[in-house]
């Protein structure tokens, strides 16, 4: 295991390692699968808004087991526009 930037842990595929007690590849592969399925609906996004679309996708991925409507209402109550 190689500790890279801050707490970035690496899995050594070249040594047939795909998981260890502190890191695995399934999390990022799951996220990118989710992101591709979500972003394909837009049939492309402008480069200058891609970051915002990706951040929204990250939020939805992290809250995918929650009712996003209720989560957003709670956030808006705490931080009104």
């Amino acid at each position: 295991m190689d500790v890279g930037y801050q707490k970035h842990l690496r899995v050594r595929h070249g040594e047939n390692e795909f998981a260890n007690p502190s890191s695995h590849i399934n999390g990022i592969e799951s996220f990118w699968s989710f992101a591709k399925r979500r972003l394909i609906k837009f049939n492309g996004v402008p480069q200058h808004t891609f970051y915002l679309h990706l951040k929204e996708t990250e939020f939805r991925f992290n809250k995918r087991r929650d009712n996003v409507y209720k989560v957003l209402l709670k956030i808006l109550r705490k931080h009104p526009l």
Side-chain angles (χ1 to χ4, degrees), residues 36 38-47 49-50 53:
K36 286 190 277 186
R38 172 126 183 95
L39 295 175
I40 202 163
K41 295 174 186 177
F42 296 102
N43 198 23
V45 294
Q47 185 176 357
T49 61
F50 176 73
H53 285 279

Side-chain angles (χ1 to χ4, degrees), residues 34 38 56-57 59-76:
F34 180 87
R38 172 126 183 95
E56 178 196 356
T57 302
F59 175 82
R60 288 178 179 274
F61 181 79
N62 290 333
K63 305 292 184 187
R64 66 190 179 278
R65 292 180 182 87
D66 302 334
N67 182 329
V68 176
Y69 179 74
K70 289 182 181 180
V71 172
L72 289 173
L73 283 179
K74 185 177 178 181
I75 291 171
L76 288 170

Side-chain angles (χ1 to χ4, degrees), residues 2-20:
D2 175 36
V3 178
Y5 181 73
Q6 292 178 349
K7 293 184 179 182
H8 179 80
L9 302 174
R10 297 182 184 169
V11 176
R12 296 178 295 208
H13 296 289
E15 298 176 20
N16 289 325
E17 177 184 60
F18 295 93
N20 59 43

